[in-house]
């Protein structure tokens, strides 16, 4: 709490056009006393502060320069979140005060834990990380108060696992990650811990393979979503920028020499690229993209494969397979893409590719 009494006395005195001698006479004190107040060398007693506030026609809190802070739970949580995002160490003092005031509030305990975790990582401070772990343990029995759908018991346990990992307690971190690895959500973390030890390399590979497939599939869906957004808004420049970024990665996902389900997916991306190029007045580049799409379609339909291990770095023999709703064959997927694009110029270009082949 910052008190600005010295500055306020000086400001109010000057606003009234008074000298230090005149103010001292009004209050019945020495000039030296007023000088010390304004210099911050001493503080007037409470009755004099009240008398000055009355004389200056203001309130005591304004004279003190004190602004009442909102210490309700919601406001405190917002400040703690801001400190977490801005890596502000002063938030730790407020967190501890809030924990004393609201020791049974889930929001306060959880947000304080997240602040300690963020600053513990930022400062590489084990003590702060251990405090975060302690607070997460306290948050668990308070979880029934939680109203945020993005926070669950799994959220707490995974945060604890991450902190254990940062504290190099890999055994505890593995235990927690494995217990809450729904649909392979934390296979990357498990694989990374195993991979730290050369003796556990074989145990790392299945988890890393699973994680690679999960995240590559998520990236494909995300790019498709953005692409639909841009094309529906006729923002062809953004669509081309997105594909220029994504296609170099997507086209290198299949193992060299293997036909992969990614060939079928990339065919559709190349068709969208050809369409966007046509719409931006680049017919020659559009033709090259359409040719690439057609080659991928012919290649996939000649030997279709949805096996997961056709993707680079995925463990050979991985028994999972890919699924898509593009069409039963690449040829059908191309027709479905043309219907979605609904552009005569693109349809004519694709028919030209088919006739030439």
């Amino acid at each position: 709490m910052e008190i600005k009494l010295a500055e306020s006395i000086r400001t109010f005195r000057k606003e009234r056009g008074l000298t230090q001698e005149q103010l001292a006479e009004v209050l019945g004190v020495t000039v030296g006393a007023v000088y010390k107040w304004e210099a911050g060398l001493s503080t007037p007693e409470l009755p004099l502060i009240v008398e000055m506030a009355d004389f200056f026609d203001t309130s005591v809190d304004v004279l003190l320069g004190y602004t009442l802070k909102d210490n309700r739970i919601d406001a405190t949580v917002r400040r703690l979140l801001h400190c977490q995002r801005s890596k502000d160490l002063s938030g730790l003092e407020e967190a501890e005060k809030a924990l004393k005031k609201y020791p049974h509030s889930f929001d306060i305990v959880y947000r304080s834990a997240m602040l300690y975790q963020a600053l513990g990582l930022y400062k590489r401070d084990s003590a702060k990380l251990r405090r975060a772990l302690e607070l997460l343990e306290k948050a668990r029995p308070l979880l029934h108060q939680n109203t945020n759908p993005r926070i669950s018991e799994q959220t707490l346990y995974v945060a604890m696992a991450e902190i254990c990992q940062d504290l190099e307690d890999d055994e505890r971190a593995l235990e927690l990650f494995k217990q809450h690895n729904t649909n392979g959500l934390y296979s990357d973390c498990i694989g990374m811990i195993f991979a730290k030890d050369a003796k556990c390399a074989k145990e790392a590979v299945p988890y890393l393979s699973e994680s690679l497939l999960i995240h590559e599939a998520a990236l494909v869906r995300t790019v498709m979503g953005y692409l639909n957004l841009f094309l529906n808004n006729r923002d062809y420049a953004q669509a081309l920028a997105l594909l220029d970024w994504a296609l170099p990665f997507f086209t290198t996902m299949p193992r060299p020499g293997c036909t992969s389900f990614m060939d079928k997916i990339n065919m559709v991306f190349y068709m969208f690229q050809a369409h966007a190029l046509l719409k931006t007045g680049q017919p020659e580049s559009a033709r090259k993209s359409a040719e690439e799409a057609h080659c991928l379609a012919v290649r996939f339909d000649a030997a279709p494969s949805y096996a997961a291990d056709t993707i680079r770095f995925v463990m050979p023999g991985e028994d999972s397979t890919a699924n898509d709703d593009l069409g039963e064959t690449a040829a059908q997927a191309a027709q479905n893409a043309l219907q979605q694009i609904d552009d005569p110029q693109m349809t004519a270009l694709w028919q030209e590719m088919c006739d030439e082949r």
Side-chain angles (χ1 to χ4, degrees), residues 95-113:
E96 290 301 332
K97 288 180 180 178
L99 288 165
K100 290 187 176 88
K101 190 171 185 179
Y102 303 108
H104 305 299
S105 164
F106 173 80
D107 289 339
I108 292 293
V109 176
Y110 174 75
R111 189 49 58 196
S112 296

Side-chain angles (χ1 to χ4, degrees), residues 2-16 23 27 37-38 43-68:
E2 185 180 5
I3 300 297
K4 300 180 180 179
L5 180 59
E7 181 182 335
S8 295
I9 294 173
R10 183 168 58 253
T11 300
F12 278 113
R13 175 179 63 77
K14 290 182 177 180
E15 285 179 354
R16 297 299 188 278
L23 180 59
L27 298 174
W37 296 344
E38 293 188 0
T43 302
E45 294 182 355
L46 182 58
L48 282 171
I49 293 175
V50 174
E51 188 177 346
M52 271 190 283
D54 183 62
F55 177 74
F56 290 134
D57 295 319
T58 189
S59 62
V60 171
D61 60 334
V62 170
L63 184 61
L64 291 172
Y66 173 70
T67 301
L68 184 64

Side-chain angles (χ1 to χ4, degrees), residues 244-291:
D244 284 345
W245 169 77
L247 274 171
F249 173 64
F250 289 158
T251 53
T252 57
M253 281 172 56
R255 287 184 185 275
C258 286
T259 300
S260 168
F261 57 89
M262 276 306 300
D263 293 330
K264 182 181 175 186
I265 294 170
N266 286 329
M267 176 212 69
V268 173
F269 282 133
Y270 273 116
M271 290 185 70
F272 283 132
Q273 185 180 54
H275 168 57
L277 288 166
L278 286 173
K279 290 299 183 182
T280 53
Q282 303 177 69
E284 291 303 317
S285 296
R287 182 179 179 84
K288 291 179 181 178
S289 294
E291 288 175 346

